Amino acid sequence: AAFDELPESSMWDVRGASWSGDDEDGLQRIADGESSDPHLRILARLAHELDADALAMAAFWLEHCDDAGYLAAPLTALLELGAAQLGCNAAALEAVRQRLLAGDPAGVAAADLRECLRAQLDALPGRVPARALARRLVDSALDLLAGQNIVALARHLQRDEADVHEAVRLVLSLDPRP
């Protein structure tokens, strides 16, 4: 890829690394997935799957995530900013964000906790019996989940306590800071 197609340079600044020649193998370490920066590890993985434009969009999203992996500004504002900065349409930019959400780790670039947990539930491999109820719990009873009141949750979701307990266990096994 040409240098003008690479994501913004701030994405490639690795804490503690110098690109001035003291660290000639810095790019190679990123390519080998050995970087300690989680965003660079995600970009290195995506570099094998995305073209230069989509990779620049992924870098844009990661650059606008906070330390917990959430968008640091409202989604609509970032879609406008990214489309203007990268000269792409908002739909293409959002498609790349959805790819990040569903990627590894799942939930990165989520707009909020609900979207993050939903993405992680969707990404769980195989048949997960409690997944559908856990998704309902995340969508409609996140506030009740904080108190872990199984009886109140069961009443709210109109399900028996054993099923709700399993769904709560599943949601609590997810990472709220991907």
Side-chain angles (χ1 to χ4, degrees):
F3 285 114
D4 60 350
E5 294 174 346
L6 289 173
E8 217 159 279
S9 64
S10 63
M11 278 308 300
W12 301 100
D13 291 340
V14 179
R15 281 182 288 283
S18 161
W19 298 97
S20 62
D22 308 54
D23 188 12
E24 291 168 10
D25 59 355
L27 283 171
Q28 187 58 48
R29 278 207 322 277
I30 291 169
D32 295 340
E34 294 172 20
S35 170
S36 61
D37 185 318
H39 291 170
L40 287 176
R41 287 199 308 267
I42 292 168
L43 283 176
R45 272 197 302 275
L46 289 174
H48 303 294
E49 305 163 22
L50 301 178
D51 63 25
D53 290 343
L55 197 59
M57 291 181 219
F60 169 84
W61 286 120
L62 292 172
E63 197 173 298
H64 290 89
C65 283
D66 62 19
D67 290 343
Y70 293 94
L71 296 181
L75 176 59
T76 51
L78 287 175
L79 282 169
E80 281 179 35
L81 176 67
Q85 266 185 14
L86 300 170
C88 63
N89 67 42
L93 196 57
E94 175 60 12
V96 171
R97 187 180 79 88
Q98 291 297 322
R99 179 111 183 228
L100 283 169
L101 269 172
D104 178 24
V108 170
D112 57 28
L113 178 62
R114 233 179 217 103
E115 187 177 44
C116 175
L117 296 176
R118 209 178 299 123
Q120 290 181 47
L121 285 169
D122 291 345
L124 292 172
R127 203 176 144 274
V128 182
R131 185 186 337 233
L133 187 56
R135 195 177 289 124
R136 275 186 55 207
L137 197 155
V138 166
D139 286 341
S140 71
L142 214 48
D143 51 334
L144 289 174
L145 177 65
Q148 293 187 34
N149 183 336
I150 301 294
V151 176
L153 284 166
R155 199 174 311 118
H156 176 79
L157 296 169
Q158 299 178 335
R159 294 290 294 269
D160 75 54
E161 290 177 30
D163 290 346
V164 170
H165 185 72
E166 191 58 29
V168 167
R169 195 186 62 69
L170 180 60
V171 171
L172 293 178
S173 74
L174 303 173
D175 186 358
R177 299 173 61 88

